[in-house]
Amino acid sequence: MKIHPSQPAPSVQPDVLVVGGGAVGGFIASSLREAGARVLVIEAGPRSPDPASEHSMDGTLPETDAALWRYRCTPEHAQWSRVRALGGRTRVWGGWCVRACAQNVVDAERAGAPWPLPFGALQAQYARVERELGVVGNRDGLAVVPDGMFVAPVTLHPRLSELTEALGLPVLAGRIATVAGRPWLASDALQDVEVWPETVALRVIVEHGRVLGVECHRGTTVRCVLCVPRVVLAASAIETARLLRSSVPGHEGELRVTSALIASHLVVAPGRTPEVAGAARAAFVPRFVNVEGGAERPYVGGFSLEVQGPHPLRHLGASVLALLDVPRDSPDDMTAYLVHALGTMLPSDERTVRFDDGDRDALGRPLPVLRLATTEHDRTIGADMDAACLAVAEALGGEGVTAIPHVAPDGLQIGSEWLHGPDDGERFDDAGRCAGAVGLYVADARSTPWVSDRHPTLTMLAHAARVADAVLLDLRV
């Protein structure tokens, strides 16, 4: 192991190095550590001094170093939303844990992004993740949103329960991973795991088809090589693709990129927030196609709704208050809700990512070049998603409500992205092992089953549990 003399070495020689300290990386590292493996996690972003302070209701996050994380996008106003900090997107996810349903597998096949494993193969892992994350929820008996192994039932806030009659749709209590009264964070899983923050993986060192270690950049100036026989890639799918390209032959080509279509509205209603002790303030309207009824729609898949609230407006933070031009000392008589629709974004040849060797960032890495587009499918399902959000807003606040759109379902914004290559079935097995590099595993959405009509994190973590089991099996061989 090569370490700059001024930098500390890992406390013990690791058996496994995990790249990425988000939900997937945190869960895998914790699972490996509990099974007795020696694990080191490297995370490109900073660590918060207090994990309980990491969750942000208003999306306020540490700033990203533009020189280190440059990318290009066409059109220029399109966005790739990233979180460069320990905890990753769990800092804003709200703890949502919703299982995929059998129809998601059918949709994936129709969309040309088939699941790499049968639907039933994840059921044990779903239950394992739900137990370990402390997911609360109710057994609602709906096939479209399969029941889970919940640690406790919840009672939905009456303002949210009223939506069932107003919308004519089932409105369920959110299924939320909860720790000490707040959403679960990846850093909760990393309490007993050694983590190196502000450490960027540059390439996996592979010789004669076997992993030898990882070349890293630590802090502002230090480069080092960590010698380790097994590496799990759990960064974003695009960052994993860049690492694979620099490490394993055959990963140079352009990839199709997709995410979920998202329509988001901040809903502000007059009046104080009703206080109901112990009531859940997160509701889920499972997959449907439109608020007017009728199953036949001219698009693949459907969408679901997440509703958070009611909350006093001040709880949403200074950035939201500034958006509304509301003085900080006068929001006590206003109630806020966040309404999100998550819908199917189809893989498309019009949405791709490649890496430009002629344009490199401050660490010498080729820049990601994203090409995004709005398809006719996006416009059609997006119109239904926006209409559903506005119907919820009206049901929550009546004539005095204000609904402020802040994310449009236009296919030009991606967050938790999936990548699709023509030979993925040959490049990775269904437990994330990478062909051509013994000891290298891909655990993020470069190889995860595709689900985009609901929050994907639970499915990503169920797949991560399979990857962790594969690593442990290989360690014992």
Side-chain angles (χ1 to χ4, degrees):
M1 181 180 299
K2 300 176 182 178
I3 299 288
H4 188 279
S6 66
Q7 297 294 319
S11 58
V12 295
Q13 172 63 38
D15 300 311
V16 183
L17 185 144
V18 177
V19 178
V24 168
F27 185 85
I28 288 177
S30 176
S31 298
L32 297 176
R33 174 71 177 82
E34 290 176 4
R38 297 168 296 185
V39 184
L40 174 65
V41 173
I42 61 173
E43 162 57 45
R47 182 204 298 265
S48 296
D50 175 17
S53 70
E54 290 179 5
H55 188 259
S56 172
M57 286 190 64
D58 66 349
T60 303
L61 294 166
E63 291 188 9
T64 298
D65 186 330
L68 292 183
W69 301 105
R70 284 199 302 125
Y71 70 96
R72 301 203 313 273
C73 205
T74 303
E76 291 186 0
H77 63 278
Q79 294 183 351
W80 172 27
S81 172
R82 301 165 294 169
V83 179
R84 294 283 175 255
L86 186 65
R89 299 187 71 82
T90 65
R91 298 170 69 124
V92 294
W93 77 313
W96 293 90
C97 284
V98 183
R99 293 191 183 201
C101 68
Q103 185 61 42
N104 292 132
V105 182
V106 176
D107 289 343
E109 188 73 33
R110 291 176 64 193
W115 277 36
L117 71 174
F119 177 63
L122 283 182
Q123 302 313 301
Q125 285 78 21
Y126 274 136
R128 170 178 160 189
V129 173
E130 287 161 343
R131 288 192 299 267
E132 293 190 21
L133 270 60
V135 177
V136 299
N138 300 325
R139 300 185 66 81
D140 299 296
L142 297 176
V144 72
V145 53
D147 291 328
M149 299 295 293
F150 306 124
V151 299
V154 293
T155 300
L156 194 58
H157 193 285
R159 288 294 293 114
L160 299 180
S161 297
E162 293 166 3
L163 290 175
T164 297
E165 182 176 351
L167 298 177
L169 295 167
V171 178
L172 315 180
R175 294 155 181 200
I176 306 295
T178 306
V179 175
R182 59 164 172 79
W184 178 87
L185 299 164
S187 52
D188 293 317
L190 294 171
Q191 295 301 303
D192 297 319
V193 177
E194 185 168 5
V195 178
W196 280 14
E198 300 183 61
T199 304
V200 180
L202 301 177
R203 68 183 179 102
V204 182
I205 301 169
V206 180
E207 292 187 7
H208 306 297
R210 185 172 294 274
V211 168
L212 299 181
V214 175
E215 181 183 356
C216 307
H217 186 278
R218 230 185 148 200
T220 57
T221 59
V222 176
R223 291 209 176 197
C224 62
V225 172
L226 297 171
C227 298
V228 60
R230 288 174 176 80
V231 174
V232 179
L233 301 182
S236 73
I238 290 176
E239 291 304 332
T240 286
R242 178 157 58 177
L243 281 168
L244 287 170
R245 184 177 183 272
S246 66
S247 308
V248 183
H251 288 268
E252 296 82 10
E254 187 175 69
L255 299 166
R256 292 186 299 166
V257 59
T258 188
S259 185
L261 285 174
I262 299 176
S264 289
H265 293 253
L266 171 66
V267 178
V268 180
R272 292 178 179 272
T273 300
E275 291 298 332
V276 180
R281 301 187 184 216
F284 181 71
V285 184
R287 174 200 171 102
F288 62 105
V289 291
N290 65 328
V291 292
E292 298 177 356
E296 293 298 324
R297 303 296 288 172
Y299 47 74
V300 174
F303 58 91
S304 300
L305 293 173
E306 296 175 354
V307 185
Q308 295 173 276
H311 294 292
L313 184 59
R314 65 179 181 278
H315 284 189
L316 297 182
S319 63
V320 173
L321 298 181
L323 173 69
L324 295 171
D325 195 24
V326 176
R328 292 189 183 187
D329 59 354
S330 62
D332 285 342
D333 60 347
M334 289 188 282
T335 295
Y337 302 84
L338 295 174
V339 181
H340 308 289
L342 290 82
T344 302
M345 176 195 289
L346 295 184
S348 167
D349 291 336
E350 298 180 62
R351 284 190 277 257
T352 62
V353 62
R354 63 180 178 84
F355 299 92
D356 186 354
D357 289 311
D359 190 359
R360 295 180 177 262
D361 64 17
L363 297 181
R365 299 174 298 173
L367 255 61
V369 180
L370 285 84
R371 180 167 62 97
L372 302 180
T374 302
T375 67
E376 185 60 31
H377 180 277
D378 301 336
R379 283 186 283 269
T380 306
I381 191 173
D384 281 350
M385 291 166 63
D386 267 330
C389 288
L390 293 175
V392 170
E394 183 177 357
L396 288 170
E399 294 183 358
V401 72
T402 300
I404 303 172
H406 58 96
V407 179
D410 56 10
L412 299 180
Q413 300 188 55
I414 60 171
S416 297
E417 73 275 7
W418 288 264
L419 298 184
H420 310 273
D423 303 316
D424 284 354
E426 300 173 8
R427 296 182 189 277
F428 315 103
D429 73 6
D430 62 10
R433 296 181 182 91
C434 183
V438 175
L440 182 59
Y441 307 80
V442 175
D444 56 29
R446 182 65 181 90
S447 66
T448 299
W450 179 66
V451 179
S452 62
D453 70 345
R454 63 199 64 201
H455 208 293
T457 302
L458 184 62
T459 296
M460 296 175 72
L461 290 175
H463 175 69
R466 287 177 59 87
V467 175
D469 289 345
V471 175
L472 288 171
L473 177 64
D474 295 346
L475 280 170
R476 296 180 182 125
V477 172

